[in-house]
Amino acid sequence: MTVAGPSKSAMITAIGFDADDTLWHNESLYHLTQEKYRTLLAPYHAPEWIDRKLYETEMRNLQRFGYGIKGFTLSMIETAVELSEGRVRGDEIGQILDFAKEMMAAPVELLPCVRETLTALSRRFRLLLITKGDLFDQETKLARSGLAHLFDAVEVLSEKHAPAYQAVLAKHSLVPSRFLMVGNSARSDILPVTELGARAVHIPYAITWQHEEAEPGATVKGVYALASMCELLPLLEQLGQPAFAPRK
């Protein structure tokens, strides 16, 4: 995906933020868990084959289990049964469940400049948290993050596509041309909102899940690419969207 920076246009009244890997670390936790999973299943298959089969299982199960740690865990168990041809032991299944419990209990580690940026923006804009995944998991992470009080609304979606964003904007009486979405996933956070005529800020995370990668080649207008959340306030000032004006 190639992005084209937006020019000054309609004043922004609301900003949406993705949660995982935009506000706090998340994919790195899956990455570490998958390393432990490979080691666990090493007696059965090579690491590359384990990764491939796990991803195939996750994609097959998205419609059944959705996104999040619980769905990931069920896919790990199913893949272990398949790769071992039913020979996986009870204690190995127990270790997979322990992996999931460790993920659920992991501390919420904010990315740089997130708290300061959201605090400043909350004085000027309506802020929405728009994420996807397991409702319980996302709600508990938000509570533990200490950021909940900064958002005017929280929307946990089963999928992030244009109709889902359109429904969220309509629910909160927001006009697409005055809405900005900030996220790390081109597929989930950027392309769907620009399809509606909104603008977006793409802040890539160090690790991208294969499923969240956008198709290469397309040039997307109305998008600005930043290296980190630390650059968001200066960008808004540059675009004539003062982040520090009092909220009306």
Side-chain angles (χ1 to χ4, degrees), residues 2-61:
T2 303
V3 299
S7 58
K8 296 182 180 180
S9 54
M11 293 297 291
I12 296 167
T13 58
I15 303 177
F17 287 89
D18 172 52
D20 294 335
D21 300 319
T22 297
L23 303 181
W24 50 68
H25 294 279
N26 181 66
E27 187 58 31
S28 55
L29 188 60
Y30 283 81
H31 187 74
L32 291 172
T33 300
Q34 200 159 332
E35 286 183 358
K36 292 188 286 186
Y37 183 70
R38 287 190 211 104
T39 300
L40 178 67
L41 296 189
Y44 301 106
H45 278 286
E48 296 79 9
W49 187 246
I50 294 169
D51 285 348
R52 176 178 173 179
K53 299 306 291 184
L54 176 59
Y55 180 72
E56 290 176 358
T57 305
E58 287 183 272
M59 294 303 98
R60 192 167 63 241
N61 286 337

Side-chain angles (χ1 to χ4, degrees), residues 81-93:
V81 172
E82 180 181 338
L83 291 181
S84 69
E85 298 179 339
R87 292 178 289 115
V88 62
R89 303 190 309 271
D91 65 295
E92 291 172 328
I93 297 296

Side-chain angles (χ1 to χ4, degrees), residues 1-6 130 160-166 169 175-183 185-202 214-215 218-225:
M1 181 187 73
T2 303
V3 299
I130 307 175
K160 281 180 164 181
H161 43 46
Y165 279 106
Q166 190 170 39
L169 295 181
V175 178
S177 63
R178 293 178 176 270
F179 178 73
L180 177 74
M181 183 66 191
V182 180
S185 169
R187 179 183 181 275
S188 294
D189 305 318
I190 308 304
L191 299 178
V193 294
T194 57
E195 183 179 332
L196 298 177
R199 285 167 281 176
V201 172
H202 186 217
E215 292 294 330
T219 298
V220 182
K221 296 181 179 180
V223 179
Y224 205 92

Side-chain angles (χ1 to χ4, degrees), residues 48-240:
E48 296 79 9
W49 187 246
I50 294 169
D51 285 348
R52 176 178 173 179
K53 299 306 291 184
L54 176 59
Y55 180 72
E56 290 176 358
T57 305
E58 287 183 272
M59 294 303 98
R60 192 167 63 241
N61 286 337
L62 276 180
Q63 295 300 317
R64 299 184 180 93
F65 306 138
Y67 297 90
I69 294 172
K70 295 174 185 175
F72 179 59
T73 303
L74 290 170
S75 291
M76 284 195 291
I77 292 173
E78 181 178 337
T79 303
V81 172
E82 180 181 338
L83 291 181
S84 69
E85 298 179 339
R87 292 178 289 115
V88 62
R89 303 190 309 271
D91 65 295
E92 291 172 328
I93 297 296
Q95 289 184 62
I96 294 173
L97 294 174
D98 287 340
F99 295 162
K101 292 173 184 177
E102 291 171 6
M103 293 178 74
M104 294 291 288
V108 176
E109 183 181 351
L110 298 183
L111 287 160
C113 299
V114 164
R115 189 181 304 280
E116 304 93 321
T117 299
L118 291 183
T119 299
L121 292 176
S122 67
R123 304 188 185 108
R124 168 65 175 83
F125 304 97
R126 291 176 64 188
L127 301 187
L128 286 76
L129 184 70
I130 307 175
T131 185
K132 67 182 179 183
D134 179 76
L135 179 61
F136 176 80
D137 186 29
Q138 294 295 346
E139 286 182 339
T140 56
K141 281 192 288 189
L142 178 59
R144 287 183 286 144
S145 73
L147 302 176
H149 67 287
L150 298 173
F151 291 100
D152 296 277
V154 177
E155 299 287 346
V156 181
L157 309 176
S158 58
E159 186 58 88
K160 281 180 164 181
H161 43 46
Y165 279 106
Q166 190 170 39
V168 169
L169 295 181
K171 176 181 177 180
H172 297 283
S173 302
L174 298 175
V175 178
S177 63
R178 293 178 176 270
F179 178 73
L180 177 74
M181 183 66 191
V182 180
N184 70 290
S185 169
R187 179 183 181 275
S188 294
D189 305 318
I190 308 304
L191 299 178
V193 294
T194 57
E195 183 179 332
L196 298 177
R199 285 167 281 176
V201 172
H202 186 217
I203 306 178
Y205 187 66
I207 306 170
T208 301
W209 184 30
Q210 183 179 347
H211 180 64
E212 293 297 345
E213 294 177 351
E215 292 294 330
T219 298
V220 182
K221 296 181 179 180
V223 179
Y224 205 92
L226 301 181
S228 77
M229 192 71 72
C230 303
E231 299 178 354
L232 183 56
L233 295 181
L235 171 67
L236 291 169
E237 292 289 339
Q238 175 188 335
L239 298 178

